Amino acid sequence: MHGRIRTWGPGALVLLPTVLLLGYFVYGLIAWSFNTSLTDRHTARKGPAHYVGFENYVNLFGEDRFLNSLKNLGVLTVAFIVGTLIFGLLWALLLEKGVTGEGVFRSIFLFPMAISMIASGVVWGWLLNPSQGDDARGLNRLFAILHLNFLENPWWTAGSRWTTMAAIALPAVWQMSGYIMALFLAGFRGIPPELREAARVDGASEFKLYRYVLFPQLSPIALSALIILGHISLKLFDLIYAITGPNQFRTEVPSIYMWNTLLRSDQAKAAAIAIVLLACVAVLVIPYLSWTARQEAKQ
Amino acid sequence: MRGLSKTLAVLSAAGLLAVSACGNSDDGGGGGDSAASKDVTVFTWWADGGEKAGLDGMVSVFNTDCKDFKFVNSAVAGGAGSNAKQVLANDLQAGKPPSTFQAHAGAELKDYINAGQVDDVSQLYKDYGLDKAFPQNLIDNLTVDGKIYSIPANIHRANVVWANPAVLKKASIDGAKAPASVDAWIADMDKLKAAGVKAPLAISKGFAQEMLVEAVLLADLGADKFSGLWDGKTDWAGADVTAALEKYKKLLTYTNADREAIDWPDALQYVNKGQAGYTLMGDWVAAQQLADKVPDSAYTYWPAPGTSGTFQFLADSFTLPTNGADPDGAKCWLKTVGSAEGQKAFNTKKGSIPARSDAQPADYPKYQQGAMADWKSNKIVPSCAHGAACTLGQNNDILSALSQFSGSPDVAKLQTALGNAMKTS
């Protein structure tokens, strides 16, 4: 008995602070939020709240504003993931082919990641100015100077949900593409050169080399990238807040709606939005985690 | 091995201690110290510019009037209290209120009143003679169920249009004279468009659009029916509201395309630079123009068309939080806030007018002198955009509906949304 404690005791002690902190500040507070979301705590008033079951959730899904924010989020996530994967892969491919000054380009592509979302959001807010024609400013002005007037557009201030949220995704794509590039570049570098040589000796064309030899080996990285981007997109708040302000119906996503709801002290509703958001992230992350666990178990 | 596990045990124990120490210090701070000394923690969102100067002026009066107490500035920066309100909500929720905090006077206080976070200060009105110093009209607007929960430090006017006479001249319009009605205003804008001014009315995002809707509603419905919109006496579904919202929709067609992307100082610059003829904004514009050294001759101002004789007010006020650390100190601050000297020291610097009707106009700049005369003679109605008529929640819903309207104008939808917003709390 004493011996057994000797084996797992120190490890448990080292883990204990982490377990306690995570248990309280993450899982404990998730439970707390979920509990709040089942009550009628709709004001800052103290005192006991009553349990109302899933009423807050039912109300949320019957509400135009919330459904609008969910649809916005869906479109944003698709636009953001597709855009970032395309640009990340493209840059990685260009660098992987070997260019002079690779380090410089790598830094340039990675730098946007170092900027906080709120700062880049403020600047992109100016760049995405919707004025056109003679008054054009920001990117529209740039298009006018380059004689690309047909590209001028109202960005997120008019048009369909797709164009609106794609305009919002643009800064996020700009910011995260470098990171995805780094992921893919590391993936390419991790493939043993022997494989390429073997493929070339077998007479594979450059296209076939990538299609059948290199890309299949990148699929675990692509999956990780997908998960990382997906959860970033679901939690996106600061960038949208900085570009459009707090009460913009056109670009509102659940995280911003949650903030608005909390500002008016409707704690139960805000907690319900938070739990829905958490569920969205869980849908994405849990299958990934179980898949990774199975892969590791196989090895 | 034994030595290592010992070290680890010590390390993890130290880690736990550090964590619990954090917790302790958190509990011990805040409330404790302020009760010990005579500190008066004043929570505001006046962190810079004319607002900060006004606060400093008020503090200097406080320091002479309330020698027993020490002013502690607890300002959180951010326009119209956007960040401050969140911080304040946390402090109040945690049961650690500041000695006194800034809040828009009127309905916005309802959130705090309903949550039992502020005390009735009607008695202080009697003690300090404020019930006679403030216009009865204002006191009526501040009273909730027979009680008053805050003392206003200043008054701003919301229904003001700022015009560039040089631009209006292009269409032979006299910039000194206000159009008699919203329709006349729209006719003038047609003339401006014909004269080559593409977007005669400069407007910015969010609350600026809310202020324009309010001005149109006020003009069309008149002061009494307009006030009724906010206290439930006027039906939001009425045909007169529909007609007014149609006019608002029309007005939006004369505005700048980037209205969702700019703030009110940008819209003001469009007017100053001659790109636009008008902008509607509260009278803090006067202080901004003074600060930017725009000459008096370069701009004119009048009450929004169809609203002359009505003063749409908003006010910053101070409260007495329930279970505050030092109520005596807070009361002394409130006394300074309501006093003639305190209001003068504050308002001459902030660019607003005093709530008291016994102030000397000669002490104030040109715009404020006119506003003070109107404050005495006009009918007073509240502003929703600035919390006098609406709670934070109602405001939030209205802003959301207006941003939706700005992108895809649908009057029926907007009318329903506005009515629904005022049904919530």
Side-chain angles (χ1 to χ4, degrees), chain A residues 10 13-14 17 20-21 44-46 65 129-131 134-135 137 156-157 247-250 259-260 263-264 267, chain B residues 5 8-9 12 16 86 93 114-115 198 257-258 260-262 270 393 396-397 399-400 403-404 407 424-425:
Chain A
L13 268 178
V14 172
L20 284 180
L21 287 176
R45 185 192 289 279
K46 295 248 156 140
R65 189 168 170 184
N129 189 296
S131 300
D134 297 340
D135 309 326
R137 295 197 274 168
W156 55 271
T157 59
N247 274 304
Q248 182 55 251
F249 183 86
R250 301 182 60 80
W259 188 85
N260 275 325
L263 187 60
R264 61 194 291 183
Q267 300 174 10
Chain B
S5 61
L8 287 176
S12 61
L16 275 180
Q86 194 71 62
Q93 191 65 31
N114 290 338
K198 271 194 296 183
D258 60 352
E260 289 300 325
I262 61 169
Y270 285 179
N396 191 308
D397 288 352
L399 286 170
S400 175
S403 70
Q404 190 181 7
T424 62
S425 62

Side-chain angles (χ1 to χ4, degrees), chain A residues 80 83-89 91-92 109-110 112-113 170-184 229:
Chain A
F80 170 61
T84 314
L85 282 179
I86 289 177
F87 280 101
L89 190 57
W91 293 347
F109 290 146
L110 267 175
M113 240 190 86
L170 188 65
V173 169
W174 171 78
Q175 195 140 17
M176 294 308 297
S177 290
Y179 175 60
I180 299 306
M181 172 208 74
L183 279 184
F184 278 125
L229 292 176

Side-chain angles (χ1 to χ4, degrees), chain A residues 9-179:
Chain A
L13 268 178
V14 172
L15 275 178
L16 194 64
T18 320
V19 170
L20 284 180
L21 287 176
L22 276 183
Y24 182 76
F25 286 106
V26 177
Y27 297 100
L29 293 185
I30 288 176
W32 178 290
S33 294
F34 183 64
N35 187 43
T36 307
S37 75
L38 300 178
T39 65
D40 62 352
R41 196 174 278 288
H42 295 300
T43 62
R45 185 192 289 279
K46 295 248 156 140
H50 304 282
Y51 281 97
V52 292
F54 285 87
E55 189 187 285
N56 291 317
Y57 294 90
V58 174
N59 289 346
L60 267 185
F61 283 97
E63 200 183 69
D64 276 351
R65 189 168 170 184
F66 182 68
L67 293 178
N68 169 64
S69 74
L70 268 188
K71 286 178 202 159
N72 283 347
L73 182 64
V75 173
L76 171 75
T77 304
V78 172
F80 170 61
I81 290 182
V82 170
T84 314
L85 282 179
I86 289 177
F87 280 101
L89 190 57
L90 185 69
W91 293 347
L93 270 177
L94 292 177
L95 289 185
E96 197 264 335
K97 296 299 280 180
V99 285
T100 36
E102 187 197 312
V104 177
F105 285 108
R106 215 169 41 207
S107 307
I108 289 176
F109 290 146
L110 267 175
F111 269 143
M113 240 190 86
I115 302 170
S116 86
M117 288 257 179
I118 201 93
S120 80
V122 169
V123 176
W124 275 97
W126 298 331
L127 288 178
L128 299 180
N129 189 296
S131 300
Q132 296 174 45
D134 297 340
D135 309 326
R137 295 197 274 168
L139 284 183
N140 282 348
R141 183 90 205 153
L142 183 69
F143 291 147
I145 291 169
L146 297 174
H147 298 288
L148 296 169
N149 301 54
F150 65 94
L151 281 176
E152 286 185 39
N153 71 80
W155 301 110
W156 55 271
T157 59
S160 72
R161 193 188 304 279
W162 277 97
T163 55
T164 302
M165 293 319 285
I168 294 293
L170 188 65
V173 169
W174 171 78
Q175 195 140 17
M176 294 308 297
S177 290
Y179 175 60

Side-chain angles (χ1 to χ4, degrees), chain B residues 40-44 74 88 97-102 317-321 324 326 329-331 333-334 337:
Chain B
V40 178
T41 327
V42 178
F43 184 97
T44 65
S74 168
L88 179 65
S99 305
T100 175
F101 62 86
Q102 175 192 4
S317 65
F318 284 93
T319 59
L320 188 61
D326 191 346
K331 280 176 191 166
W333 172 259
L334 292 177
V337 167

